[in-house]
Amino acid sequence: VVPPWGWRCTPRRGGSGCPPAGQVRSAFLRFFQERHGHCRLPSAPVRPRGDPRLLFVNAGMNQFKPIFLGTVHPRSELAQHRRVVNSQKCVRAGGKHNDLEDVGRDTYHHTFFEMLGNWSFGDYFKEEACSMAWELLTEVYEIPKDRLYVTYFGGDASLGLSADEECRDVWLHLGVPASHVLPFPLKDNFWEMGDTGPCGPCTEIHYDHVGGGRNAAALVNQGSPDVVEIWNLVFMQYSREVEGHLLPLPQHHVDTGMGLERLVTILQNKRSNYDTDLFTPILDAIHKGCGGPGYQGLVGDADVGRVNMAYRVVADHVRTLCVCITDGIYPGLSGAELVLRRILRRAVRFCSEVLHAPRGLLASLVPTVVEVLGDAYPELTKNADQIVDIINENEVAFLSSLARGRRIIERTVQQMKPSTNFPAEVAWSLYGNLGFPLDLIDLMLEEKGITLDSTAFNKLALEDAKRKAGGPQAGQLDNRNTCLDVHSLAQLQNSSVPATDDSPKYAYKLGQNGQYEFSPCQATVLMLYRDQSLQKEVGAGQRCGVILDRTNFYAEQGGQACDQGYMIRLGQQDILFPVESVRLCGGYVIHEVTAVETLRAGDQVQLFVDEAQRLACMTNHTATHLLNFALRHVLGDNTEQRGSHVTAKRLRFDFDTKGPVTVEQLQQVEQVVQDVIKRNEVVHMAEVPLTLARRVQGLRAVDEGYPDPVRIVSLGVPVETVLTCDSEAAMQTSVELCCGTHLLQTGAMEDLAIISERQLVKGISRIIAVTGGQAKQAREVGQCLAMEVDSVSLRMKGKTTSIPEMQNLSKEVGQLTKVVANTAMPQWQRKELQTILRALQRTANTAIKKLEVQQAEEKAQSLLAKHCNQPVIIDTVPADSLSILMKVVNQLCNKSPGTSVLLLSPQVSGEVLCACQVSKNCLPMFSAADWAAAVCTQMEGKAGGSPVVAKGSGNAKGMQGALSTALEFARSKL
């Protein structure tokens, strides 16, 4: 069969006859799409959707998990697919798959890579999957058959699994010699999604780089760089249960993955991924940017000065940075953002410390990365400028942190006692707060002949890991009654239990009195779910999930919190079954209830939604759409939603931003929203085919799977109008794909106040807003605080000559600053008041300092007249604070340079303040620190300072003795 592709290549030819990486990728996609009827899907973003356990998308199958788990909504686009092909952007750094520290040491580890994959969801299985793979590799890519080896699962007696002879026979039937078909145990040829869930045997295809007619079977799976795995075909046919045993899956799936980088290495007749055209343009750009020796592909001891390793690190990491930043993961302080920060900082260090490159080299590589990957992933081209800005800003911040960290290490070492370990707390603070690399801390300490207290450091790291792990896991067990497992979902479908009709959740209207009226809903209990099993009956006092034929309860989805309420059995009005949470799973709505009496399948129930809570959610969801529109209107069309969450109390909205939102912009956003509220616009909602909805110009949609047909929510413009050809109506208002519940008219929102706006990480801001009565209350609080700030401001402008009075004003400003920072009020007003309060604090501090200097000068003048031309002045003087007392001492010494001064100041509290300064002429015999210590010890107090200046305090009972001690000490030293 002659392949229909525009190129042919064998790895033996090499040279210019080899296909570029772009052609290799497109040939894979076209082969499955055109020849084998697969639907070609774009790569999912590397930020995982709906999977909190994953830091990054690290395999092609991540976006298809809902299909494997059976939780996919039957009306969603995803559920319609049977055969799929794509090239998925993947990042493996942090978490289970962590290649970060290996990257650069060898020629094949990467943090970012592309996974070519084809999938079958309940369609073809082993025979077709193997046949397609063999056809592509040997006929399209023309890889010599004698260089390919295949492995299959050899069975596992402990699990009661026999060898996958079906798979072995398929390969033999395809003509693969028996000597090239090899069995391997569980660890090599049995793939699992996690500790539980879908799994199955796999078959891997390996390639021998050496060839020449030899038999390399003994090198397969032995870690040899000469014989490498290129493609893994997973046959999902089991599910691993919590107890550890395997159950057959109701539907068989195929999930294959082949790393593009390895494939291109073979087809371009190379031995290193970094020698292919996926990397060579970037390596050339690095060389051009830093000068010095070029990339030679050296590893280990041959790579003197780690120059080649640095090339590989920088080339790999800049690809990862470009892809992650484009997909909305920015360098930050936790989770994926923290891992990306480490990747960026590792690249910056190799640039500056090994390659001795000028600042900005990393960001200068972005256009080259875009050139290499932009055709396959056009989103990179769109975001190139933003990527450059974020990399540059983070590089500057890191280099500043390095300088600061070095200073902290120097200072700590100076203060350490001889032959002690470097304190773990300081190292942990440098690592955790400044992002100072551990190996750099070790290196700097090694240079000084000091070691880190590694036991204490590891203990701190372990405590931190436990603290971080404790959060999300605590809530995972609570899903066992609301999250249907794959077998229960299959059982429901096989028993012809219909998906829940949840259209009654939209059954509400505005009554004549302007109040919302929610239609009652009567339903039948179809099944109960408890402890991961379907049950027909659940006893009193037990928690369970209730599956009904229909419901008016809203299940948590699309960023909107679920409804709460209760259900009653028909004819038993006085027994309420409270509904605590509602979830959607595979088209079934599961209501979590605690059964107050026995509940049975077949029971007729009446459902009552908590109307106040629902209405508040509706209000805040419509407000979220309005806010999205207003932000785009004020900040520009590039303002993209990054996430949102709607509850009855408030709404949260995350979005792209070039920088902090200004006071004026916050006011404008609120004004745009308030104008739409005042116009009391109608909220139009309609279900339309997904393909039709996606044609709407200006449509706002987030990256998530939508059902088909999909619901469109349009403010002020009928859905039919925005759907008409060439209509630009959606550009002038809010039009979104949304399954949430909304107001029918915007007027019921009454008001919206943005009560918080902050940057989560560079480039992403988070807004918290409230509506209705809460917004009104926030504005009233804001007005009250503004009046208090005005009052303090006026009083400060008055001619205050008293230090205590000015100190009280300063204290009031400090208290107001805390209240303004922590109170729910309009964010624009908070920012304005914070600016005023900062200025008032500076004014108060300056005024206090000025008054203290004046007062000190007067007291010094008086004392100087009293102790004319004395070499030592010892006296008592009234002073409101130690700060004033020190200033009096300084003034005296400045006016009489040869004099040493010690002053005591008794306070109303019974405390005595002490301050002293020794003339430089008297050093080193006479020490201020020793002088103050002797005096304060006499008063049962403490003191400290330097040989020149010291201060302390003590008890009034010993003051007279202290004056005598002061004089005796001075006489003994002079």
Side-chain angles (χ1 to χ4, degrees):
V1 180
V2 178
W5 323 122
W7 55 269
R8 296 168 66 101
C9 167
T10 74
R12 286 167 298 181
R13 271 207 290 273
S16 59
C18 285
Q23 268 189 26
V24 175
R25 186 193 296 109
S26 66
F28 181 92
L29 298 169
R30 284 169 53 199
F31 172 80
F32 284 100
Q33 185 182 12
E34 295 170 16
R35 191 179 286 194
H36 293 288
H38 288 59
C39 174
R40 180 173 168 178
L41 293 183
S43 168
V46 292
R47 177 186 281 281
R49 186 173 68 209
D51 193 341
R53 290 164 298 184
L54 270 186
L55 290 171
F56 303 96
V57 164
N58 58 23
M61 54 73 64
N62 289 159
Q63 65 173 311
F64 305 117
K65 270 189 184 179
I67 296 178
F68 302 139
L69 295 168
T71 58
V72 65
H73 194 288
R75 283 203 298 126
S76 69
E77 268 184 302
L78 204 54
Q80 314 313 313
H81 296 308
R82 289 293 168 265
R83 298 181 174 205
V84 164
V85 64
N86 86 341
S87 175
Q88 174 63 47
K89 299 175 288 188
C90 297
V91 173
R92 286 189 181 171
K96 178 183 165 188
H97 297 288
N98 188 359
D99 290 350
L100 183 55
E101 290 309 315
D102 292 322
V103 171
R105 296 182 197 281
D106 53 40
T107 60
Y108 50 87
H109 271 101
H110 302 291
T111 50
F112 164 75
F113 64 97
E114 297 177 68
M115 183 76 90
L116 303 171
N118 61 292
W119 287 267
S120 161
F121 306 123
D123 187 354
Y124 61 81
F125 205 43
K126 295 178 186 179
E127 186 177 350
E128 297 91 331
C130 296
S131 174
M132 290 175 197
W134 193 249
E135 181 188 359
L136 177 67
L137 294 177
T138 61
E139 295 180 20
V140 177
Y141 290 138
E142 295 185 320
I143 295 175
K145 295 177 182 179
D146 63 351
R147 291 207 184 190
L148 297 174
Y149 295 79
V150 295
T151 65
Y152 66 95
F153 177 52
D156 188 282
S158 66
L159 286 171
L161 293 175
S162 55
D164 191 357
E165 292 174 358
E166 180 191 354
C167 176
R168 180 199 64 191
D169 293 345
V170 167
W171 288 119
L172 295 172
H173 181 70
L174 286 167
V176 183
S179 60
H180 284 224
V181 183
L182 313 167
F184 279 90
L186 194 81
K187 73 178 181 69
D188 295 305
N189 278 75
F190 195 88
W191 185 91
E192 307 208 37
M193 189 187 286
D195 295 333
T196 59
C199 56
C202 61
T203 182
E204 295 175 343
I205 303 172
H206 296 249
Y207 174 79
D208 177 16
H209 276 285
V210 177
R214 72 170 184 166
N215 187 318
L219 297 175
V220 172
N221 275 339
Q222 299 305 310
S224 166
D226 293 336
V227 180
V228 294
E229 175 210 332
I230 55 171
W231 204 346
N232 188 8
L233 285 63
V234 178
F235 307 122
M236 289 196 199
Q237 59 190 93
Y238 301 107
S239 171
R240 189 178 287 283
E241 300 306 294
V242 177
E243 300 81 11
H245 60 267
L246 298 174
L247 291 179
L249 273 178
Q251 246 195 348
H252 289 174
H253 307 295
V254 173
D255 160 20
T256 87
M258 173 159 59
L260 175 69
E261 292 77 8
R262 277 194 187 177
L263 178 62
V264 172
T265 300
I266 291 166
L267 296 179
Q268 292 184 359
N269 198 28
K270 306 293 183 188
R271 292 299 298 271
S272 160
N273 297 354
Y274 291 93
D275 292 336
T276 67
D277 62 346
L278 286 167
F279 288 93
T280 48
I282 305 170
L283 296 168
D284 291 343
I286 295 170
H287 182 227
K288 190 177 173 185
C290 68
Y295 178 68
Q296 297 169 285
L298 302 174
V299 294
D301 294 339
D303 182 19
V304 180
R306 300 194 305 165
V307 170
N308 289 264
M309 179 179 175
Y311 268 99
R312 290 188 288 270
V313 166
V314 175
D316 171 89
H317 288 9
V318 75
R319 284 169 27 116
T320 305
L321 287 163
C322 288
V323 168
C324 286
I325 292 168
T326 291
D327 286 350
I329 301 173
Y330 302 147
L333 297 175
S334 64
E337 283 79 10
L338 177 60
V339 175
L340 195 66
R341 184 175 82 157
R342 286 182 183 148
I343 288 170
L344 184 139
R345 292 182 164 197
R346 188 169 186 251
V348 168
R349 280 186 61 207
F350 273 97
C351 281
S352 62
E353 293 171 17
V354 181
L355 297 174
H356 308 295
R359 276 190 187 189
L361 171 72
L362 199 58
S364 75
L365 303 174
V366 171
T368 310
V369 176
V370 171
E371 198 178 311
V372 173
L373 296 173
D375 287 345
Y377 310 108
E379 59 272 21
L380 284 167
T381 310
K382 182 184 165 191
N383 291 292
D385 291 344
Q386 184 195 21
I387 299 167
V388 168
D389 290 346
I390 287 173
I391 290 175
N392 276 330
E393 285 164 9
N394 277 274
E395 179 177 14
V396 169
F398 177 49
L399 292 172
S400 160
S401 290
L402 278 183
R404 193 169 152 212
R406 285 192 174 101
R407 288 197 298 273
I408 291 170
I409 289 174
E410 292 288 348
R411 191 169 67 242
T412 308
V413 169
Q414 283 169 12
Q415 292 169 356
M416 278 168 58
K417 291 174 183 172
S419 66
T420 53
N421 285 335
F422 190 83
E425 307 77 45
V426 178
W428 180 254
S429 173
L430 286 168
Y431 175 69
N433 299 328
L434 287 182
F436 208 86
L438 275 181
D439 60 334
L440 192 58
I441 295 172
D442 286 334
L443 198 68
M444 289 181 69
L445 295 179
E446 194 181 307
E447 287 166 3
K448 298 177 188 298
I450 295 168
T451 53
L452 173 64
D453 185 349
S454 53
T455 308
F457 184 91
N458 292 338
K459 189 181 172 190
L460 289 170
L462 193 66
E463 285 168 7
D464 183 67
K466 279 181 185 171
R467 191 169 61 249
K468 284 175 179 167
Q473 286 175 350
Q476 280 174 15
L477 288 173
D478 294 339
N479 296 337
R480 64 184 181 271
N481 293 328
T482 54
C483 193
L484 296 169
D485 65 286
V486 66
H487 302 293
S488 298
L489 279 161
Q491 197 179 326
L492 287 169
Q493 287 153 5
N494 294 338
S495 307
S496 301
V497 175
T500 314
D501 171 16
D502 62 352
S503 59
K505 68 188 177 190
Y506 299 125
Y508 51 88
K509 62 181 183 180
L510 269 171
Q512 291 181 337
N513 58 357
Q515 300 293 310
Y516 277 82
E517 295 174 0
F518 295 86
S519 302
C521 182
Q522 190 175 316
T524 304
V525 176
L526 300 181
M527 196 65 74
L528 301 162
Y529 186 67
R530 176 173 162 73
D531 291 334
Q532 294 200 303
S533 73
L534 295 171
Q535 299 176 12
K536 293 278 188 182
E537 184 177 301
V538 167
Q542 293 188 320
R543 250 181 131 153
C544 66
V546 181
I547 299 169
L548 306 167
D549 60 337
R550 60 202 304 269
T551 184
N552 58 348
F553 275 77
Y554 185 85
E556 177 152 3
Q557 57 182 320
Q560 180 179 325
C562 66
D563 280 336
Q564 290 176 333
Y566 61 92
M567 57 177 78
I568 61 169
R569 249 196 307 245
L570 288 187
Q572 289 184 311
Q573 307 297 320
D574 54 340
I575 298 173
L576 309 183
F577 294 86
V579 176
E580 294 157 34
S581 70
V582 190
R583 285 184 61 148
L584 183 66
C585 202
Y588 297 99
V589 176
I590 300 101
H591 310 71
E592 186 170 33
V593 306
T594 299
V596 287
E597 276 199 359
T598 302
L599 256 179
R600 296 179 180 86
D603 283 351
Q604 299 288 302
V605 292
Q606 187 94 24
L607 305 176
F608 296 90
V609 166
D610 181 330
E611 294 182 5
Q613 192 235 9
R614 161 68 83 83
L615 185 56
C617 280
M618 286 160 52
T619 303
N620 287 342
H621 205 148
T622 304
T624 304
H625 284 218
L626 245 178
L627 182 64
N628 191 356
F629 167 71
L631 285 165
R632 191 177 77 220
H633 184 78
V634 172
L635 302 179
D637 286 339
N638 291 331
T639 309
E640 292 288 344
Q641 177 177 342
R642 286 293 183 185
S644 67
H645 192 242
V646 175
T647 67
K649 290 181 179 174
R650 62 180 197 174
L651 64 98
R652 188 192 79 210
F653 192 81
D654 301 343
F655 60 99
D656 284 339
T657 173
K658 295 285 183 192
V661 185
T662 65
V663 166
E664 292 74 22
Q665 287 170 331
L666 286 167
Q667 288 173 314
Q668 287 167 16
V669 168
E670 282 191 1
Q671 193 56 57
V672 170
V673 173
Q674 282 155 7
D675 289 346
V676 180
I677 292 171
K678 279 175 194 162
R679 291 201 300 270
N680 198 20
E681 300 275 20
V682 173
V683 181
H684 299 274
M685 291 168 271
E687 280 199 345
V688 300
L690 191 55
T691 48
L692 198 60
R694 287 213 161 115
R695 291 185 203 144
V696 175
Q697 291 185 59
L699 177 80
R700 310 301 279 177
V702 292
D703 170 50
E704 64 175 55
Y706 289 99
D708 191 8
V710 68
R711 198 168 171 82
I712 286 188
V713 179
S714 171
L715 300 191
V717 180
V719 173
E720 310 83 71
T721 308
V722 300
L723 287 173
T724 53
C725 229
D726 302 325
S727 168
E728 292 191 1
M731 310 285 275
Q732 314 305 321
T733 186
S734 163
V735 180
E736 296 194 28
L737 300 184
C738 181
C739 60
T741 57
H742 287 270
L743 294 174
L744 301 174
Q745 288 181 266
T746 58
M749 208 179 297
E750 296 176 13
D751 191 6
L752 176 137
I754 295 169
I755 58 168
S756 169
E757 183 276 325
R758 65 185 179 92
Q759 282 208 302
L760 292 179
V761 291
K762 194 73 183 170
I764 295 185
S765 271
R766 168 167 290 177
I767 275 177
I768 306 286
V770 290
T771 56
Q774 282 180 289
K776 184 184 175 187
Q777 187 181 354
R779 293 195 193 284
E780 286 171 357
V781 168
Q783 288 304 313
C784 290
L785 286 172
M787 286 163 70
E788 286 188 49
V789 171
D790 283 345
S791 164
V792 176
S793 187
L794 280 169
R795 280 179 283 144
M796 209 170 274
K797 282 173 185 169
K799 296 292 176 190
T800 306
T801 53
S802 154
I803 290 175
E805 198 178 326
M806 188 51 81
Q807 282 174 332
N808 284 337
L809 281 173
S810 173
K811 194 174 178 184
E812 204 175 324
V813 168
Q815 287 167 340
L816 263 176
T817 301
K818 279 183 186 172
V819 173
V820 166
N822 299 314
T823 304
M825 62 187 290
Q827 179 69 4
W828 64 264
Q829 193 171 28
R830 188 195 322 277
K831 285 188 170 187
E832 278 189 347
L833 294 182
Q834 284 173 330
T835 303
I836 295 166
L837 287 165
R838 278 193 295 270
L840 288 176
Q841 194 67 70
R842 284 195 299 270
T843 303
N845 292 346
T846 306
I848 290 166
K849 203 171 179 182
K850 196 173 175 184
L851 287 168
E852 283 182 351
V853 169
Q854 279 175 5
Q855 200 179 96
E857 202 162 329
E858 289 165 12
K859 292 181 191 297
Q861 205 64 47
S862 162
L863 284 165
L864 209 57
K866 181 178 173 183
H867 302 273
C868 192
N869 294 327
Q870 295 292 322
V872 177
I873 297 175
I874 297 167
D875 210 335
T876 59
V877 65
D880 292 328
S881 67
L882 193 53
S883 170
I884 295 173
L885 192 63
M886 279 303 312
K887 285 184 174 70
V888 177
V889 170
N890 293 149
Q891 292 273 4
L892 275 169
C893 291
N894 288 343
K895 291 177 189 295
S896 177
T899 305
S900 296
V901 180
L902 184 142
L903 298 178
L904 299 180
S905 178
Q907 303 294 298
V908 180
S909 62
E911 184 186 31
V912 176
L913 304 178
C914 169
C916 66
Q917 185 169 331
V918 169
S919 168
K920 287 179 183 174
N921 305 338
C922 304
L923 297 173
M925 291 293 292
F926 195 1
S927 161
D930 294 346
W931 197 13
V935 171
C936 293
T937 302
Q938 184 69 33
M939 298 187 291
E940 298 176 349
K942 288 181 180 177
S946 69
V948 179
V949 180
K951 57 189 175 183
S953 63
N955 197 306
K957 289 175 190 168
M959 192 170 82
Q960 288 309 313
L963 288 169
S964 305
T965 301
L967 190 57
E968 285 164 19
F969 187 93
R971 280 177 180 161
S972 72
K973 299 293 178 185
L974 293 173

